[in-house]
Amino acid sequence: MSNQTDLSKRSFLRFAAGSAATAAVLETTASTAAAAQTPLTSPATTPWVQSLPVPNAVGGAAIAAVASGSGCEKALPNFNGCTCPTGETTNATHQALAACPPMDAYEIDIRTIQHKWHPKLPASEMFGYGGTVPGPTFMAKYGRPFVVRFHNNMTAPTKGNFSIPQTAIHFHNLHAPAESDGYPDDYIPQGTYRDHHYVMYQAGKDTLREVNNTMWYHCHRHDFTSHNVYRGLAGFFLAFDELDSGDEKDSNPKALRLPSGYGKYDLPIVFQDPMFDASGQLAFDPFNTDGIIGDKFAANGAIQPFLNVDRRRYRFRFLVGSVSRVWQLHLSQADPKTDKPLKDLAWTAIANDGNLLPKAVSMPNLLTSPATRHDVVIDFSQFKKGDVLYIENRMEQVNGRGPTGTILPAGSGRVLKIIVGDLPSQLDSSLPVAVGRALRPAPPVPVSSAKFTGTRRNFKFDRGNGVWTVNGIPVDLSKPSFTIPKNGGPEIWTLSGSGGWWHPIHIHFEEAIILTRDGKPTPFANEVNARKDVFLVRGSETIEIYYQGFRDFTGHYVMHCHNTVHEDHAMMLRWDIA
Amino acid sequence: MIRRNFVTSLLSGAAATVVAHAASDKSLKNSPTVSDRNIPDILVTNQEGKEFHFYSDLVKDKIVMINFMYAQCEGICPTMTSTLVKVQRALGDRVGKDVFMYSVTLKPEQDDPKAFRHYIQMHGVGKGWNFLRASRADTDLLRRKLGFVDSDPKIEADINQHTGMVRIGNDAINRWMACPASVPSDSIVRRVLWVDPANDTRRV
């Protein structure tokens, strides 16, 4: 693959030269520096030789559903709030336990495991929630609160110069009480466990509009998030409600009947860009504070897999699980014989950050970044058997600063090969998703942000003396930067960048709607009235976002850059709700 | 003059590491080899004039904290040093025994052992914390290898914007991280404890 070779070459230069700034410096230092350290060009791998793996769903082998409907007291005899025997939690109690008694309880065993990214690479030493990479997929339902007991049975890694065998677990961006939010300092020491309680009700109990359907969970260990997520600590978390019920045959007239059938017609895919050392082990660079850009493209823990599809509608739930890379995803049809690109197809986008849009929109491509989710529907009945499509990332990026500005040509950056097969054995029961189809109504936003009279907060994401900062201050978890009154009403927050750096900013707990990008309405159709929790600040851009409020729970939360290298080097801020 | 050297050295990149700088001081001679890890085994001299190989003598199998400074800095260095002095006091007699603190000068031409000793006295630096200088080229190599580089050449060339990060690592188990020296000292102490595997089983 020529595009793969190019990618490797660029990556080689980057590693050889550290973070040197100009092409001239890159060229000058490459040969000498390469001799001084192990070159980090991943071994070659043949694409399209393995099928796309699908993570196990809850109830599969990886997670034991220890009880269903019987409440956690029976399921977990030791469960009594959070007074765990080891006393590891910083929050004394679960604030919503009495109001939302758990109906299900799960236990997750977190282990050090061996994972093969490609048949030709040796297994890499990784961490896995439930012992798999990605971790098992939670399938939750609004109205069914549950508890999870996370057991940290990880052993210290013996390979690589990164990671700590501890984890805090953030269900990104579930409406969770603070003590179950995976606050970075609420980490689970080795050999101990921690219980999280998920209330499974919508923010403000707005059961129609404040629903998140596609989420993920990942390690949030303070200062080691980039290391540990990269080493495997991430999985999907799907939640279903009356509209998005996960049943395309649903007889409820309110149900949208989107393509369903987890792992078959409803496919979560996490895109990542790992890299490997000469021995084929997963490699990382903890000495790089700009961002990690790997030279392999992977989906669900497999390098460049293929997917055989039936000729019917599919729902894909895309997640970028990269450390730092910004992606621009294209759907490209290729000539099955020559593999040459034939034409691009538009995406039919139905959700942004896991939140169903007010209506389905057409997107020529999907600009996306770490932690962002994009749900799309593709109708493969328009193709014939043997047709080939690729999901391509055409965004060129060679360092943590952000994309180069070059969009690579069609046929570049191929991540996943889709091979169109037969008609499905059963009729497609999902309803068509034409552009413009109404999905989930959005909560209200002010007509003009200039006339907004509520609380405003401004945040600048910056760098000074090599330190990543928010409003000039590096992370200090010992006290909140500010405290928001619970149920205190709407707020407008302003997020600004500087220095040409791109920052995917993630704000925990509540979803917000983008009002403006640089003072104008967002140019992205899938951001219009879309509830989001990751806001990609591109260079010196300023984004205004609108919150309905900070509802229901109290405690400590964070906002941070989801280029997790920036996050781990202090680009994070604690805020509280009281 | 110094500024120009700094820039020149950077722009010539790692190639400069094998070019001998005109320096009569023995401690400023360049090292012939680097280790195969990220930490180069450059020659360094401490405040007492003792010479070490940076990786093999000072880092190998140890828990270390490494920052960059220079004695005459009127920018971030005084605050950084004062925070790190608090860290040193909190760690007590572990410093110099199983936790090792290194401050590497960004102005090796100025910061000789005498200047270091003066600085140590002025800031109340305790025992077991070494102030180090290497050749100009080795200093830049070390800084780059430890990840304290700015990809903006203007910032990279401006010594007033030099790194305020502290590299914290445990070479024995190959666990590395970094944090700003401008965070509260007790949070830096916690980070030092985090690279010690003895603390993996508890919250510290």
Side-chain angles (χ1 to χ4, degrees):
Chain A
M1 296 301 299
S2 63
N3 59 306
Q4 201 184 346
T5 311
D6 290 344
L7 188 67
S8 298
K9 188 181 173 197
R10 278 197 303 276
S11 161
F12 170 75
L13 289 174
R14 187 182 68 78
F15 278 108
S19 305
T22 66
V25 174
L26 285 170
E27 295 303 333
T28 311
T29 55
S31 57
T32 319
Q37 66 184 68
T38 312
L40 284 171
T41 302
S42 300
T45 49
T46 311
W48 334 127
V49 296
Q50 56 182 333
S51 65
L52 177 76
V54 178
N56 293 321
V58 162
I63 301 183
V66 290
S68 183
S70 60
C72 63
E73 299 299 334
K74 187 179 168 196
L76 301 170
N78 296 327
F79 183 89
N80 55 350
C82 218
T83 50
C84 307
T86 48
E88 76 272 31
T89 55
T90 54
N91 292 71
T93 55
H94 285 289
Q95 56 187 290
L97 200 58
C100 307
M103 296 167 76
D104 301 303
Y106 303 105
E107 288 190 280
I108 295 254
D109 182 24
I110 311 163
R111 297 199 304 271
T112 304
I113 54 158
Q114 299 293 317
H115 172 80
K116 271 178 99 75
W117 286 87
H118 190 275
K120 287 291 155 67
L121 290 178
S124 280
E125 186 183 50
M126 298 190 68
F127 292 158
Y129 290 129
T132 61
V133 173
T137 300
F138 280 84
M139 308 281 272
K141 281 195 177 123
Y142 280 95
R144 277 192 81 85
F146 65 99
V147 288
V148 188
R149 176 160 290 183
F150 294 100
H151 294 272
N152 177 0
N153 291 323
M154 294 185 285
T155 53
T158 58
K159 290 176 176 155
N161 55 359
F162 61 103
S163 290
I164 189 167
Q166 297 177 332
T167 181
I169 300 148
H170 174 49
F171 272 41
H172 177 140
N173 200 44
L174 187 61
H175 194 62
E179 64 278 3
S180 296
D181 192 53
Y183 179 72
D185 224 2
D186 285 348
Y187 59 85
I188 312 171
Q190 208 180 26
T192 68
Y193 66 85
R194 182 183 171 92
D195 297 324
H196 281 196
H197 173 228
Y198 299 111
V199 299
M200 292 317 296
Y201 71 74
Q202 301 83 350
K205 307 215 168 143
D206 182 340
T207 54
L208 174 63
R209 300 178 298 192
E210 295 283 354
V211 178
N212 308 35
N213 295 116
T214 304
M215 292 167 276
W216 65 308
Y217 64 104
H218 62 82
C219 182
H220 216 305
R221 172 65 167 81
H222 193 21
D223 282 10
F224 288 92
T225 295
S226 59
H227 301 220
N228 280 4
V229 176
Y230 184 78
R231 209 184 264 277
L233 291 181
F236 278 96
F237 175 69
L238 312 184
F240 299 90
D241 74 319
E242 203 174 14
L243 265 64
D244 190 2
S245 65
D247 179 5
E248 64 184 37
K249 294 179 180 165
D250 198 334
S251 58
N252 182 341
K254 287 182 188 166
L256 294 169
R257 294 174 60 186
L258 298 168
S260 72
Y262 176 80
K264 192 148 193 221
Y265 303 126
D266 177 0
L267 279 170
I269 303 180
V270 54
F271 295 120
Q272 290 170 307
D273 55 331
M275 60 195 178
F276 301 85
D277 66 19
S279 75
Q281 273 294 315
L282 185 70
F284 189 75
D285 181 7
F287 298 92
N288 177 339
T289 61
D290 290 354
I292 299 292
I293 303 295
D295 64 351
K296 294 288 183 190
F297 286 147
N300 288 349
I303 294 170
Q304 291 179 302
F306 65 84
L307 172 69
N308 291 312
V309 295
D310 294 341
R311 299 210 303 280
R312 56 153 284 160
R313 281 180 287 275
Y314 279 67
R315 175 189 193 161
F316 292 94
R317 306 176 190 246
F318 299 144
L319 160 69
V320 170
S322 289
V323 177
S324 309
R325 187 185 280 277
V326 175
W327 301 58
Q328 184 167 298
L329 300 173
H330 294 252
L331 182 61
S332 171
Q333 188 173 358
D335 184 317
K337 290 198 183 76
T338 65
D339 242 3
K340 286 193 177 146
L342 292 174
K343 62 171 180 181
D344 277 7
L345 295 110
W347 298 106
T348 300
I350 60 166
N352 194 329
D353 281 341
N355 302 297
L356 288 174
L357 297 168
K359 57 185 186 191
V361 296
S362 176
M363 300 294 294
N365 58 67
L366 297 168
L367 174 67
T368 186
S369 58
T372 289
R373 290 88 70 209
H374 288 289
D375 290 29
V376 299
V377 171
I378 303 177
D379 186 353
F380 293 107
S381 69
Q382 65 187 296
F383 301 104
K384 61 180 192 298
K385 187 174 179 174
D387 279 356
V388 167
L389 298 103
Y390 286 97
I391 294 177
E392 300 177 349
N393 169 36
R394 297 188 195 151
M395 184 67 93
E396 185 186 64
Q397 183 166 0
V398 295
N399 59 39
R401 178 176 287 271
T404 61
T406 300
I407 303 299
L408 300 167
S412 308
R414 287 173 168 171
V415 189
L416 176 71
K417 180 178 190 174
I418 299 171
I419 304 155
V420 180
D422 293 313
L423 288 167
S425 53
Q426 288 188 318
L427 210 62
D428 184 351
S429 302
S430 70
L431 297 180
V433 183
V435 169
R437 181 183 167 193
L439 298 169
R440 188 185 299 285
V445 292
V447 178
S448 158
S449 77
K451 290 182 183 158
F452 178 74
T453 53
T455 303
R456 284 176 182 271
R457 303 179 201 272
N458 302 318
F459 304 96
K460 180 150 193 198
F461 299 89
D462 210 346
R463 177 184 166 97
N465 291 103
V467 177
W468 296 111
T469 58
V470 185
N471 288 343
I473 300 165
V475 65
D476 176 6
L477 292 182
S478 68
K479 56 184 186 299
S481 290
F482 55 93
T483 299
I484 302 172
K486 182 173 112 174
N487 302 327
E491 300 198 359
I492 289 180
W493 291 17
T494 301
L495 317 174
S496 308
S498 71
W501 291 88
W502 289 39
H503 298 297
I505 300 303
H506 173 45
I507 303 165
H508 284 211
F509 189 57
E510 285 270 355
E511 306 293 286
I513 292 174
I514 294 177
L515 296 178
T516 59
R517 282 185 177 270
D518 275 343
K520 300 183 196 111
T522 174
F524 303 106
N526 64 343
E527 283 186 351
V528 176
N529 288 322
R531 296 165 54 249
K532 281 185 66 59
D533 52 63
V534 183
F535 309 94
L536 181 59
V537 178
R538 301 168 296 168
S540 56
E541 190 175 31
T542 293
I543 305 178
E544 267 186 315
I545 60 173
Y546 179 78
Y547 281 102
Q548 308 299 322
F550 294 82
R551 296 165 284 190
D552 308 318
F553 307 119
T554 57
H556 50 204
Y557 294 92
V558 288
M559 71 187 300
H560 58 88
C561 183
H562 224 296
N563 174 339
T564 46
V565 169
H566 297 180
E567 172 188 344
D568 285 342
H569 294 99
M571 193 171 250
M572 179 155 65
L573 171 155
R574 169 183 165 185
W575 52 275
D576 285 12
I577 303 174
Chain B
M1 180 61 190
I2 299 290
R3 175 74 54 83
R4 233 182 357 259
N5 277 349
F6 186 74
V7 174
T8 309
S9 166
L10 276 167
L11 289 180
S12 57
T17 60
V18 294
V19 178
H21 278 238
S24 53
D25 191 326
K26 189 178 157 231
S27 70
L28 294 181
K29 74 174 185 276
N30 289 292
S31 310
T33 58
V34 294
S35 87
D36 60 356
R37 290 221 182 150
N38 265 296
I39 317 288
D41 210 17
I42 57 169
L43 274 180
V44 292
T45 307
N46 77 351
Q47 65 271 20
E48 287 145 19
K50 277 194 196 160
E51 216 172 62
F52 303 94
H53 284 94
F54 187 76
Y55 177 72
S56 49
D57 296 333
L58 302 180
V59 175
K60 193 174 188 316
D61 296 332
K62 294 179 172 66
I63 293 175
V64 298
M65 302 170 64
I66 309 162
N67 77 311
F68 288 84
M69 46 67 71
Y70 59 98
Q72 298 300 317
C73 175
E74 290 173 351
I76 60 169
C77 299
T79 315
M80 246 168 96
T81 303
S82 121
T83 303
L84 293 175
V85 164
K86 286 184 199 153
V87 172
Q88 183 184 31
R89 285 178 188 157
L91 289 168
D93 61 5
R94 288 193 70 172
V95 177
K97 204 162 80 187
D98 66 351
V99 175
F100 297 85
M101 297 175 72
Y102 304 119
S103 291
V104 183
T105 180
L106 290 163
K107 290 198 172 177
E109 298 83 355
Q110 290 178 6
D111 289 341
D112 60 10
K114 192 177 163 196
F116 281 149
R117 290 198 297 273
H118 179 69
Y119 190 84
I120 285 166
Q121 194 179 18
M122 194 168 70
H123 287 272
V125 171
K127 285 196 170 126
W129 176 352
N130 276 296
F131 284 71
L132 304 169
R133 73 163 170 170
S135 71
R136 156 65 50 207
D138 279 356
T139 303
D140 287 335
L141 176 71
L142 179 64
R143 189 172 56 81
R144 205 162 40 236
K145 290 284 188 181
L146 291 176
F148 300 142
V149 196
D150 203 292
S151 56
D152 180 339
K154 278 187 199 152
I155 296 173
E156 176 70 1
D158 179 2
I159 197 162
N160 293 317
Q161 299 192 56
H162 76 79
T163 183
M165 299 289 280
V166 186
R167 177 62 63 192
I168 299 170
N170 182 348
D171 184 68
I173 58 162
N174 217 0
R175 186 183 297 170
W176 291 94
M177 64 179 306
C179 78
S182 46
V183 296
S185 61
D186 55 351
S187 78
I188 301 178
V189 172
R190 292 185 73 201
R191 286 164 164 106
V192 174
L193 300 179
W194 288 346
V195 300
D196 182 349
N199 296 317
D200 286 351
T201 55
R202 55 180 179 252
R203 290 182 46 80
V204 289

